[in-house]
Amino acid sequence: MAGIVMNATTMFEEPVTEAWGLHQAAAMLFDTWVEAIIIALALHLYFRFTGVGGPTLLWWMRCGGPRNGKRASADEDGGKQQPMPPPPPHPPAEVSRAKPPGLPRADVTEAMAVHTLDNGASSAGGAPGASGAQDALAQYERLVRDQRLDLRQHMPDDHDTRMLYAGFVEIWVRSVAPCAVSGQVDDLAVQCEAVHIPAGTKTPSARALVQRLLKDMSMFGFSRGFDFYSAVFKVLTTHGLLEDALWLHDAMVADGIHPDRQIYICLISIAVSLGEDRRAIGFFRELSRAGTPAMRTYMTLLRIFTKRRDWRGAVDLLEGLRVNSVTPDALVLNTVLGLCVSGDALDVAEQLLHAWEDVADTVSCNILFKGYAQQVDLPRAERLLAKMVARGPAPNIISFNTMMDCAVRAIQVHCSRDRGRSRRFASGADHIAARNSAGGAAAAAAARPWRLLDQLLHLGLEPDRYTCSTLVKGMHLSGCTGRDIDRTMDLLRRIGWENLHAAGQGSSACGEGCNGRLLEVLFNTLLDACVSIRDLDRLAVVFGLMGTFEVELSAVTFGTLIKAYGQAGRLSRCHEVWFKMREAKVKPTIVTYGCYIDACTRNSDMEAAMRVLASMADDRVKPNAVIYTSLIRGYAHAKMPLKALELYQEMRHHGIDATAVTFNSVLDIIARQLSDPARLREVVDDMQQAAIKPDVVTYSILVKANCNAGNIAAAIALFRQLREHGLVFDEVAFNTLLLACSNAGKVACAEEIFQEMLDTGVAPTHVTMSILVKMYGKAKQLSKAVEVSRKIEASTGLKPNLYAYTCLIQACVRSKQVQASWDVFARMLCAGVVPDAITYGTAIQGCIYHNKFEQALALLRHAYMVPPPDGTTIFHALAYETNELEAATVGALEKQQRPVALQRDILHALTTALRRKGITALASEVDWITSGKLEAQAPSRGLAVFEWRSSRRPSDTSTTTESGSMRSSAAWVEQDARESDSFSSDTSTDVALTVAAAALAAPACSGRRPEEGL
């Protein structure tokens, strides 16, 4: 029984033992197969990097390559590395891939690695995305994802593992990136699907793959070192995956590994190219902690600051160079200076230039010149130029051209300030001093470009076309003389044709067209300068130079010529220029038509102007408001108000929007020539419908219309209503109201208006003084007349002129203060003011009224320059004591004085009074003085200047003046107001249009309409 049991047990154990042996054999084969695959993948990636072929691989493996997942090391060989034998001279023709029976484990592993690597090697030279790369990644995914193999048990060496995973990234990137670039969407989808990455984008990203591999390495306990991240970073940047490279930096830092200098330099460039400016600056700071960056890296960061216009960051960067004892080159310094100038940090730029004087060059100084020109800081530019001339660096032509531009901008600022003063006057003597000072500064600024020209020529520099262009611009702004135009033409001849047409430095492909435009503007501005001084001869010379230098004639050129001849009154030449323009096939613009129509209206040829207007349709040029306004003004000057209104209605019918100037012109015509309140109200309504706010000119016209209609109360009410709404009137409007109050005898209203004139800062003029003095004279308030004249002189520095003195004399006569009239006359002479016939007549009338015939004869002798019998002066006769200065002034004045012929009614009144009083001797002297032959010589202030020869004293020859039509003192004051652009029907429209173009739109009044007082 026991034997049976023993036999049964033996029989049972034999198959169990045999099964257990088979199990162990299977496990060993599986381990060998896994290790062979892992080794094959590692070797495939290694030789993929190095380009080593299959036969060399076999030699390497048979000479001690990695076996059983282990790497031979120096420690295993007793601390010494065993040298490899040389490779075989001829590789074997074929490697058997079959598994021979009974093959040892190491040979099986080697054969499987060779089989895998041979497939990879056969596809290594093929197209990207070949099956070798797919197989390698696919095998890794099957082992790790599907079979959940623990690679740590088979790959104990972390270095080999890191290279394996880095190789995975390169395989995938090399396979996927070209597919995306070439548009192989199907292949891209296959590669993404092989590693379980979602496809569907044309821009490949290795971020998902790297994240998966990093997670696997962490899961298996493989360390990530700097060499792994560096290899992956190189792969990503080499294939243009810049965003992935930036992400890898974050992952690297999170893993506790810090990049080296080369990686940081590469990261800065990547961040700049991706627009990640903040990250680039952060990378630069990290790089700076490791040492001083290269100058090329500094320039890369400067490009960031330039793009962001961050001058503070650029200055800090330059300060970092100083702290690190590194000297920047001129390019770095100039870049920072340019940023400071563009950021209006001119003070900082000056400090940098001073701190880096040894590095700065001429370009550095030119950058500061540009900043000075932008801020119109001429004094600082002058100091820098003087420093360059004295100590260097030497200025070039660009330096001087930029300096000239700064001087021209200063001229423009002075002109703007002068226009502001003309619109808004301040009161007080300080204003007069400031105005005189500003005029001197403007004159100095206008002369500065020419002095710069002399200086650059003295230094041996040659001017270019930009020099000429800047000079001509300054002439256009500040005005010029014939000598300035001659110097400019000489400079153009010196530069020559070639230099004028040569392309500038750094010019682009369109440089030739831009250059031609520059020359055209230069010569057209020079033509306009000739027009401004009304010099047709120089105009012809400049026009000839345009042909010499082959400057293209444009519509602007022909328009300037037409404007010049129109102002000179040569309308026939305007027609010739127009026909020449037509022959040259130059199409006129709206501006050219405007110049031609303006020339016709200036010369009172309205028929020609209307023909030009009708011809605009042939060139398909639609008239604008400026054209119609010019025609309306022409009809106003021609005293044809109805035709002007017809044009206004035609303009409205054609849908052309009228401007404030147009409305003001029409309102002025109605107020002056028609006095039609209904039409005036209609135009005001049109103005309100057009949403154009009335300005000071509009309201001045409405006030003037009320005054002309005799409705003084309505004019004053409108004035006060507008003042309540903050409207500031000019001196013309104030003078209009003052004259209306003076004529109506409303002294209190006039005083109120005059005080408000002073309170609002509007400076009184000679017209204001004359109106007020005459008003007080009519009211027989001599003390107030004298007081107001002195008040105006004290507050504005404005001394009385001939008309004001005459009004004062008349006020004295009306107040029966004849001695006071003599004192005013004597003060007028001491002030250097020459009396005219009306002044003499007014003073003599006072003497006749008070029976002061000796003084009347003294005034008569002084007028006709006849020496008194007793040899005394006019001051002795008028009982006025003079000091030495006054006597010298009068003596110099009498040397230049000419005889003045008095009015016949004054002479008749004097002789009649003398004979009535029985003073025949003086009456005979009057006849003897005033008798003689009068020959006209030249006009002066509406009076004729004559040469007088005495019939009784043929040896005495003197010159006298006689008035063709004598005016009363009230008439000449009104004439003076007309000459002040306040009442003249010939010039008032021009003044109104000029003021309207320059003044700001005033707020419209609410409530009562401005024209209700009419």
Side-chain angles (χ1 to χ4, degrees):
M1 188 65 174
I4 296 173
V5 172
M6 183 64 72
N7 292 333
T9 302
T10 303
M11 293 176 59
F12 177 76
E13 286 180 353
E14 289 180 357
V16 170
T17 302
E18 183 178 359
W20 180 253
L22 292 175
H23 175 72
Q24 287 183 338
M28 293 176 59
L29 289 176
F30 177 76
D31 292 341
T32 303
W33 178 76
V34 170
E35 292 178 4
I37 291 177
I38 296 173
I39 294 173
L41 290 175
L43 293 177
H44 169 72
L45 297 176
Y46 173 79
F47 291 109
R48 182 84 170 184
F49 294 149
T50 59
V52 179
T56 307
L57 168 64
L58 292 177
W59 158 79
W60 179 77
M61 292 185 63
R62 287 165 182 164
C63 291
R67 297 173 181 269
N68 299 327
K70 297 181 180 180
R71 185 183 64 168
S73 63
D75 296 335
E76 294 174 358
D77 295 331
K80 296 182 179 180
Q81 194 79 358
Q82 298 296 327
M84 288 186 180
H90 299 288
E94 182 178 356
V95 178
S96 175
R97 300 172 187 171
K99 178 180 178 182
L103 191 67
R105 178 176 177 178
D107 293 336
V108 172
T109 305
E110 177 181 322
M112 293 181 66
V114 169
H115 173 74
T116 304
L117 291 174
D118 184 57
N119 291 334
S122 63
S123 63
S131 58
Q134 298 178 11
D135 292 343
L137 288 173
Q139 289 178 9
Y140 173 81
E141 291 294 328
R142 284 194 297 271
L143 290 174
V144 175
R145 311 294 175 214
D146 300 339
Q147 301 182 15
R148 302 185 181 276
L149 182 69
D150 185 3
L151 295 185
R152 168 56 73 181
Q153 298 179 4
H154 304 280
M155 297 189 68
D157 192 288
D158 286 355
H159 180 271
D160 291 342
T161 306
R162 289 193 292 268
M163 292 301 99
L164 172 67
Y165 279 97
F168 284 152
V169 176
E170 183 177 11
I171 286 178
W172 190 85
V173 170
R174 284 189 177 182
S175 302
V176 174
C179 295
V181 173
S182 60
Q184 301 175 4
V185 182
D186 296 337
D187 294 340
L188 177 61
V190 171
Q191 297 297 333
C192 294
E193 184 180 358
V195 291
H196 304 284
I197 296 176
T201 176
K202 293 185 178 180
T203 303
S205 175
R207 184 180 307 180
L209 174 65
V210 176
Q211 284 178 334
R212 292 168 64 88
L213 295 180
L214 287 175
K215 186 177 180 181
D216 291 347
M217 294 177 71
S218 177
M219 178 179 64
F220 295 131
F222 297 132
S223 63
R224 281 83 56 198
F226 174 80
D227 52 352
F228 167 74
Y229 282 106
S230 178
V232 175
F233 185 83
K234 181 179 179 181
V235 170
L236 297 178
T237 55
T238 302
H239 291 82
L241 301 180
L242 305 183
E243 295 180 356
D244 293 344
L246 285 182
W247 169 84
L248 184 67
H249 163 266
D250 299 337
M252 183 178 184
V253 173
D255 211 359
I257 300 173
H258 297 283
D260 61 357
R261 290 177 56 86
Q262 294 301 323
I263 291 181
Y264 270 126
I265 293 173
C266 188
L267 284 171
I268 292 173
S269 300
I270 291 173
V272 170
S273 63
L274 293 178
E276 298 282 347
D277 297 339
R278 293 184 178 179
R279 300 206 65 180
I281 296 174
F283 293 146
F284 179 82
R285 291 172 181 169
E286 295 294 332
L287 178 63
S288 300
R289 292 191 182 99
T292 303
M295 194 59 62
R296 182 176 180 180
T297 308
Y298 277 100
M299 286 301 302
T300 302
L301 208 65
L302 276 178
R303 287 197 296 271
I304 297 176
F305 294 131
T306 302
K307 182 178 68 175
R308 300 174 64 181
R309 298 181 179 179
D310 184 4
W311 62 267
R312 291 182 177 85
V315 171
D316 293 340
L317 190 69
L318 204 59
E319 180 65 18
L321 284 174
R322 188 189 63 80
V323 171
N324 294 325
S325 300
V326 178
T327 302
D329 55 13
L331 181 60
V332 174
L333 177 62
N334 294 340
T335 304
V336 179
L337 289 176
L339 277 174
C340 293
V341 169
S342 62
D344 293 333
L346 202 53
D347 295 335
V348 178
E350 277 188 339
Q351 296 172 5
L352 291 177
L353 185 66
H354 178 72
W356 301 99
E357 276 186 336
D358 298 337
V359 180
D361 56 5
T362 304
V363 178
S364 309
C365 298
N366 290 344
I367 292 173
L368 258 72
F369 278 131
K370 180 181 178 182
Y372 294 140
Q374 291 174 352
Q375 296 188 5
V376 198
D377 196 340
L378 188 58
R380 293 167 75 179
E382 295 274 7
R383 289 194 293 268
L384 179 59
L385 181 63
K387 181 179 177 181
M388 293 177 68
V389 173
R391 293 186 297 174
N396 55 14
I397 188 60
I398 298 177
S399 308
F400 279 97
N401 286 344
T402 313
M403 269 292 302
M404 286 185 180
D405 182 59
C406 184
V408 169
R409 289 171 184 251
I411 295 172
Q412 191 172 9
V413 170
H414 286 300
C415 293
S416 300
R417 290 175 180 172
D418 291 342
R419 286 193 296 267
R421 290 189 185 96
S422 65
R423 289 193 299 265
R424 184 175 182 180
F425 290 90
S427 60
D430 294 338
H431 162 69
I432 302 298
R435 184 172 57 186
N436 295 334
S437 175
R448 184 54 181 150
W450 297 104
R451 293 201 301 270
L452 288 171
L453 175 64
D454 296 335
Q455 188 176 5
L456 72 90
L457 292 175
H458 177 73
L459 293 176
L461 298 175
E462 284 297 325
D464 56 11
R465 60 179 175 270
Y466 300 106
T467 312
C468 290
S469 176
T470 307
L471 287 171
V472 171
K473 181 181 178 181
M475 293 163 54
H476 175 72
L477 291 173
S478 63
C480 63
T481 62
R483 182 175 178 273
D484 296 337
I485 296 176
D486 293 338
R487 290 192 65 185
T488 306
M489 290 190 291
D490 293 339
L491 188 61
L492 287 170
R493 296 186 184 99
R494 175 172 182 163
I495 295 174
W497 184 94
E498 293 182 357
N499 292 328
L500 283 177
H501 288 272
Q505 296 181 356
S507 59
S508 57
C510 66
E512 183 63 27
C514 299
N515 182 43
R517 176 61 180 165
L518 174 66
L519 294 180
E520 179 187 342
V521 173
L522 191 155
F523 277 96
N524 285 332
T525 308
L526 202 55
L527 286 174
D528 192 66
C530 297
V531 174
S532 64
I533 64 173
R534 301 178 183 273
D535 194 332
L536 296 182
D537 294 334
R538 287 186 171 86
L539 183 80
V541 176
V542 174
F543 188 74
L545 273 180
M546 295 182 70
T548 303
F549 290 111
E550 299 179 2
V551 180
E552 184 180 357
L553 301 180
S554 64
V556 177
T557 308
F558 288 106
T560 305
L561 294 176
I562 292 174
K563 178 181 178 182
Y565 289 122
Q567 291 180 356
R570 303 173 65 176
L571 187 58
S572 59
R573 294 300 304 271
C574 297
H575 299 324
E576 293 177 9
V577 173
W578 184 265
F579 293 139
K580 290 291 184 182
M581 180 185 67
R582 289 298 193 179
E583 291 178 358
K585 305 298 182 183
V586 175
K587 183 179 179 180
T589 64
I590 186 66
V591 178
T592 317
Y593 272 109
C595 293
Y596 195 17
I597 290 176
D598 183 71
C600 295
T601 56
R602 279 179 178 270
N603 292 272
S604 303
D605 193 348
M606 296 306 300
E607 294 183 0
M610 294 304 295
R611 287 197 301 269
V612 175
L613 177 66
S615 66
M616 295 180 69
D618 299 335
D619 291 318
R620 296 181 180 179
V621 178
K622 184 179 180 180
N624 58 11
V626 178
I627 298 292
Y628 276 102
T629 303
S630 180
L631 290 168
I632 290 172
R633 292 173 58 191
Y635 279 119
H637 289 308
K639 306 298 181 183
M640 303 173 66
L642 296 180
K643 292 290 294 184
L645 292 180
E646 288 180 7
L647 272 178
Y648 169 72
Q649 295 298 334
E650 178 183 337
M651 173 185 175
R652 302 280 295 173
H653 176 72
H654 290 303
I656 299 175
D657 295 331
T659 63
V661 180
T662 309
F663 284 117
N664 290 337
S665 301
V666 176
L667 289 173
D668 189 71
I669 292 172
I670 298 173
R672 291 182 181 276
Q673 302 184 24
L674 294 179
S675 299
D676 190 344
R679 291 179 183 268
L680 198 67
R681 186 177 295 108
E682 179 182 350
V683 175
V684 171
D685 292 340
D686 293 342
M687 192 174 187
Q688 292 177 349
Q689 290 178 2
I692 295 180
K693 295 182 179 180
D695 54 15
V696 64
V697 179
T698 310
Y699 293 123
S700 298
I701 293 172
L702 296 176
V703 170
K704 191 181 303 181
N706 282 283
C707 293
N708 293 342
N711 197 347
I712 308 300
I716 295 176
L718 176 60
F719 167 78
R720 290 174 177 169
Q721 180 184 359
L722 297 174
R723 288 294 302 128
E724 290 176 358
H725 287 81
L727 183 68
V728 179
F729 282 85
D730 58 1
E731 74 280 2
V732 176
F734 277 108
N735 290 339
T736 303
L737 282 171
L738 289 174
L739 184 60
C741 294
S742 175
N743 294 334
K746 297 180 178 295
V747 178
C749 291
E751 290 176 343
E752 182 182 350
I753 292 171
F754 176 66
Q755 186 60 43
E756 191 163 1
M757 181 180 186
L758 297 178
D759 294 340
T760 55
V762 178
T765 63
H766 284 114
V767 178
T768 312
M769 184 185 295
S770 301
I771 292 172
L772 292 174
V773 169
K774 180 183 177 182
M775 179 188 68
Y776 286 124
K778 289 169 60 177
K780 296 182 180 182
Q781 299 180 11
L782 179 60
S783 59
K784 288 190 175 182
V786 175
E787 181 185 356
V788 75
S789 64
R790 291 177 178 175
K791 182 177 181 180
I792 293 176
E793 182 177 359
S795 61
T796 65
L798 194 67
K799 296 184 179 299
N801 61 357
L802 173 63
Y803 309 112
Y805 276 119
T806 305
C807 286
L808 279 172
I809 293 172
Q810 188 181 36
C812 294
V813 171
R814 287 184 173 179
S815 299
K816 299 180 181 181
Q817 300 290 332
V818 65
Q819 182 63 49
S821 69
W822 299 343
D823 293 341
V824 173
F825 186 88
R827 289 202 308 269
M828 179 179 65
L829 294 178
C830 294
V833 179
V834 180
D836 65 354
I838 297 176
T839 310
Y840 282 112
T842 304
I844 290 173
Q845 279 183 335
C847 296
I848 296 172
Y849 185 79
H850 292 279
N851 297 325
K852 303 295 182 181
F853 298 112
E854 290 293 338
Q855 287 76 13
L857 262 294
L859 291 169
L860 181 66
R861 295 187 192 104
H862 191 268
Y864 285 88
M865 297 187 68
V866 177
D870 54 359
T872 58
T873 63
I874 184 66
F875 299 104
H876 183 271
L878 299 180
Y880 184 84
E881 296 182 2
T882 60
N883 54 35
E884 295 181 359
L885 180 60
E886 292 175 341
T889 303
V890 174
L893 182 65
E894 288 179 349
K895 292 180 180 179
Q896 302 175 358
Q897 186 178 356
R898 292 182 178 182
V900 179
L902 302 184
Q903 304 98 315
R904 295 186 183 276
D905 54 349
I906 296 294
L907 296 175
H908 178 71
L910 180 58
T911 54
T912 302
L914 289 172
R915 288 191 175 93
R916 185 181 299 117
K917 296 294 183 178
I919 312 175
T920 57
L922 294 182
S924 300
E925 185 179 358
V926 172
D927 294 337
W928 171 75
I929 292 175
T930 58
S931 62
K933 184 178 181 181
L934 302 177
E935 296 178 357
Q937 285 186 336
S940 174
R941 279 194 60 84
L943 305 176
V945 178
F946 297 93
E947 181 180 0
W948 178 80
R949 291 185 177 89
S950 173
S951 58
R952 297 186 180 182
R953 297 182 181 180
S955 59
D956 296 340
T957 304
S958 59
T959 306
T960 65
T961 4
E962 183 172 351
S963 171
S965 59
M966 293 296 103
R967 301 169 299 168
S968 65
S969 40
W972 66 256
V973 174
E974 184 177 352
Q975 177 64 26
D976 185 59
R978 291 195 182 105
E979 291 176 357
S980 70
D981 300 329
S982 176
F983 292 91
S984 174
S985 59
D986 294 332
T987 60
S988 60
T989 305
D990 292 336
V991 174
L993 292 177
T994 304
V995 176
L1000 296 175
C1005 293
S1006 59
R1008 182 183 175 185
R1009 298 196 330 187
E1011 70 278 8
E1012 280 184 353
L1014 294 178

